[in-house]
Amino acid sequence: FKLVKETILTESFSLSGDKETTRKLNHATRKVREGEVVEVWEWPKKDEASGLTRMRCKAKSDGAVGWITTTGNQGALFAELL
């Protein structure tokens, strides 16, 4: 997959939670830039709580592993299949 819009790489699948979870999420993320290529580890699936479609992947640039949003809850595309 190649990123067509900047998003974040997170440790957990879900982005919803309490304030403490959100605080931890802010420290455990890194930006994934437009044009960056990622390798699929788990195919995209929808997070029913947020409406986002997310995928577990490995960044080709530095080997970081985590979850990215591939499609936003309003249909915005963040990653496309190469």
Side-chain angles (χ1 to χ4, degrees), residues 3-59:
L3 277 285
V4 294
K5 191 173 184 180
E6 186 176 279
T7 188
I8 57 172
L9 183 79
T10 64
E11 290 180 354
S12 66
F13 172 72
S14 179
L15 292 178
S16 57
D18 59 20
K19 287 182 181 179
E20 184 61 30
T21 303
T22 303
R23 190 174 303 118
K24 287 179 184 175
L25 185 64
N26 287 337
H27 294 295
T29 62
R30 88 159 180 80
K31 288 185 179 180
V32 185
R33 307 265 184 225
E34 183 178 330
E36 196 166 340
V37 177
V38 296
E39 175 185 322
V40 176
W41 277 30
E42 285 185 45
W43 288 100
K45 58 184 178 180
K46 189 169 186 173
D47 177 6
E48 296 301 327
S50 66
L52 302 172
T53 301
R54 298 189 34 88
M55 169 180 79
R56 188 159 188 249
C57 61
K58 179 180 179 180

